[in-house]
């Protein structure tokens, strides 16, 4: 049996008394693609924010690799190997693609700021290793030919790739993707599907929130369905497709 890398156990969260996530229990299996779907306002993005520490559960627990992370800061959670991309892309206006990927690796450095100022051997070694990794990562996400372009000048589909590259740069083992193919054409979204699938071959787990059912049904090994803050169904894409509860949640009464 495949082990769970992430578990949410009876998690609840309200924004000023308005319940967004309610008694949410689910898990994500290691090295797989797990999707979370549900109608607008179901609480999917809130669930992501709870996992990455932007907000904290008011009830229930979140475990990552068996460690309880309920109260950890986003910084600490990132350092544990969880990366996330949100519905809106966040890039630095002045940095090239290569600089974005390089920068993402600084969190992994053992050398201090002082090392970098003095230019110690440790710092130089680490800088060399990260430069090599940057080239590998850009190749993996097919961005080599745009390496020297300012990231914000790229078309939307490629900007998404920069975000993937950054997640790989920080050394994430679990990547949360909130609607990664939103606003993309078929070709761009096919490319992203291929990229996401390829990551599971290098020991990366994907937790995906996505409205595009074509994407979800094609690449997920497991799908969890949320409605009004809680899970109403889970299973393989085939099982979900046939579940009357799911159909009802999407289509209404
Ligand atoms: N910052 C906030 N303050 C108050 N209420 C919020 C806030 N963010 C979300 N909500 C509410 O919480 C509920 C869940 O929202 P959430 O964004 O998690 O849904 P979602 O499933 O991601 O929806 P979508 O598919 O449209 O992205 C909604 O009723 C929403 O209005
Ligand atoms: Mg959302």
């Amino acid at each position: 049996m495949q082990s769970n890398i992430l578990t949410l156990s009876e998690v609840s969260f309200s924004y000023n008394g308005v319940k967004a996530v309610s008694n949410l229990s689910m898990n994500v299996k290691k090295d797989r693609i797990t999707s979370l779907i549900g109608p607008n306002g179901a609480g999917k993005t809130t669930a992501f924010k709870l996992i990455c520490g932007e907000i904290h559960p008011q009830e229930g627990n979140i475990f990552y690799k068996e460690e309880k992370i309920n109260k950890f800061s986003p910084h600490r959670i990132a350092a544990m190997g969880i990366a996330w991309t949100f519905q809106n892309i966040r890039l630095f206006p002045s940095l090239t693609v290569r600089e974005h990927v390089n920068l993402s690796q600084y969190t992994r450095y053992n050398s201090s700021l002082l090392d970098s100022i003095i230019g110690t051997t440790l710092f130089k070694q680490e800088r060399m290793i990260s430069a090599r990794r940057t080239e590998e990562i850009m190749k993996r996400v097919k961005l080599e030919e745009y390496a020297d372009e300012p990231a914000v000048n790229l078309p939307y589909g490629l900007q998404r790739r920069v975000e993937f590259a950054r997640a790989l740069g920080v050394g994430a083992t679990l990547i949360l993707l909130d609607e990664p193919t939103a606003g993309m054409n078929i070709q761009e979204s096919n490319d992203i599907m291929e990229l996401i699938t390829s990551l599971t071959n290098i020991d990366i787990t994907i937790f995906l929130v996505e409205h595009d059912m074509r994407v979800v049904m094609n690449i997920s090994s497991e799908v969890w369905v949320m409605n009004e803050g809680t899970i109403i169904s889970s299973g393989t894409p085939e099982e979900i497709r046939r579940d009357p509860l799911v159909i009802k949640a999407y289509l209404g009464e």
Side-chain angles (χ1 to χ4, degrees), residues 99-118:
E99 286 164 342
H100 271 96
V101 185
N102 252 326
L103 191 65
S104 68
Q105 296 179 65
Y106 284 10
T107 49
R108 297 163 65 127
Y109 279 31
N110 289 314
S111 50
S112 62
L113 181 62
L114 191 62
D115 284 312
S116 75
I117 294 167
I118 304 169

Side-chain angles (χ1 to χ4, degrees), residues 13-16 18-21 37-49 87 178-179 209 211 226 229:
F13 183 86
S14 306
Y15 295 100
N16 305 314
V18 181
K19 269 230 147 95
V21 162
I37 64 171
N40 292 117
K44 306 179 297 293
T45 297
T46 304
F48 266 22
K49 287 181 176 167
Q87 276 165 281
D178 199 348
E179 300 191 28
V209 162
H211 277 294
M226 230 181 145

Side-chain angles (χ1 to χ4, degrees), residues 201-217:
N201 297 328
I202 51 166
D203 297 331
I204 288 176
T205 306
I206 302 287
F207 187 18
L208 179 70
V209 162
E210 183 58 67
H211 277 294
D212 185 341
M213 285 308 132
R214 192 180 70 96
V215 174
V216 171
M217 295 302 170

